[in-house]
């Protein structure tokens, strides 16, 4: 596709409904498909997606959007770090149970947001069997002002011990956080502030 094509036009070209973004994309759009993607791809179209969210985030700049294929999944052994401002991470689903799944175990915070104006929509955060610890699906730092988490699922039903995990753990002094239409299963606390 031509580099001069607007972000909105690229979404229409890819067959996605622009309203699923929830916010106006300011930069590039990267696509992730854990089944058909390759991390060596540029991710600029659904035909040539990246394979992981972690790789997409490593290739983004502030203001970019990543669109995740519904039903995809990624098992992480280190936290997914979102450190760029104005980033949108979106899986266009109406039910977060069919969204893109981030899975991890033990004391791992599955995702850490340390930048302002981040939007996360349609993801499923899942903990696998094993010992639990005080950890979160999404952990924030003080810089995560105006975080928006929408239609996400936090499912810890596979944990076999220590029921002390949080769905979303927010640090003090955050401004204007929105948590909308999320589901929490077997979390010690859905949202911990």
């Amino acid at each position: 596709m031509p580099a001069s094509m607007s972000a909105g036009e690229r979404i229409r070209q890819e067959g996605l409904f622009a309203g699923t973004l929830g916010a106006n994309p300011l930069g590039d759009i990267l696509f992730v498909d854990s089944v058909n993607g390759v991390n060596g791809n540029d991710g600029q179209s659904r035909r040539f997606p990246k394979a992981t969210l972690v790789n997409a985030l490593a290739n983004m700049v502030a203001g970019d959007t990543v669109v995740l294929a519904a039903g995809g999944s990624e098992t992480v052994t280190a936290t997914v770090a979102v450190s760029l401002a104005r980033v949108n991470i979106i899986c266009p689903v109406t039910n977060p149970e069919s969204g893109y799944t981030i899975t991890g175990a033990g004391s791992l915070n599955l995702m850490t947001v340390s930048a302002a104006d981040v939007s996360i929509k349609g993801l499923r955060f899942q903990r696998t069997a094993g010992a639990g610890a005080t950890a979160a699906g999404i952990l924030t730092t003080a810089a995560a002002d105006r975080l928006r988490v929408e239609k996400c699922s936090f499912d810890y039903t596979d944990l076999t011990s220590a029921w002390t995990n949080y769905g979303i753990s927010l640090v003090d002094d955050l401004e204007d956080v929105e948590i909308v239409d999320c589901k929490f299963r077997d979390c010690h606390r859905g949202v911990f502030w």
Side-chain angles (χ1 to χ4, degrees):
M1 279 181 226
S4 62
M5 187 179 295
S6 73
E9 182 59 27
R10 285 210 336 248
I11 290 170
R12 282 185 286 284
Q13 291 289 329
E14 293 298 328
L16 295 174
F17 178 66
T20 63
L21 292 179
N24 292 328
L26 301 173
D28 288 336
I29 297 172
L30 294 178
F31 292 89
V32 171
D33 183 333
S34 65
V35 175
N36 301 307
V38 175
N39 280 334
N41 288 346
D42 66 10
Q44 295 291 314
S45 74
R46 287 191 343 184
R47 289 183 52 201
F48 300 104
K50 292 196 167 287
T52 65
L53 172 60
V54 170
N55 185 270
L57 288 168
N59 289 281
M60 293 171 69
V61 298
D64 283 355
T65 296
V66 61
V67 177
L68 303 159
S73 66
E74 188 168 336
T75 299
V76 296
T77 56
T79 189
V80 176
V82 182
S83 58
L84 298 168
R86 301 178 320 277
V87 166
N88 297 301
I89 302 170
I90 296 159
C91 182
V93 293
T94 55
N95 179 356
E97 298 300 315
S98 60
Y100 191 88
T101 302
I102 304 291
T103 302
S107 60
L108 177 67
N109 294 306
L110 300 178
M111 180 179 284
T112 300
V113 178
S114 59
D117 302 305
V118 171
S119 177
I120 302 166
K121 183 176 181 181
L123 274 69
R124 181 172 183 247
F125 295 88
Q126 180 179 13
R127 292 205 174 278
T128 57
T134 303
I138 298 175
L139 173 70
T140 67
T141 69
D145 291 331
R146 296 170 301 283
L147 171 67
R148 180 174 174 86
V149 181
E150 182 179 355
K151 289 187 180 176
C152 288
S153 171
F154 300 85
D155 185 351
Y156 303 161
T157 55
D158 286 341
L159 287 178
T160 57
S161 67
W163 197 49
T164 57
N165 287 273
Y166 306 134
I168 303 170
S169 183
L170 304 169
V171 300
D172 294 340
D173 297 330
L174 289 179
E175 296 178 4
D176 302 327
V177 172
E178 290 183 80
I179 300 170
V180 180
D181 202 18
C182 291
K183 296 180 180 184
F184 302 92
R185 286 204 176 93
D186 283 350
C187 298
H188 178 63
R189 292 189 174 130
V191 179
F192 180 72
W193 195 306

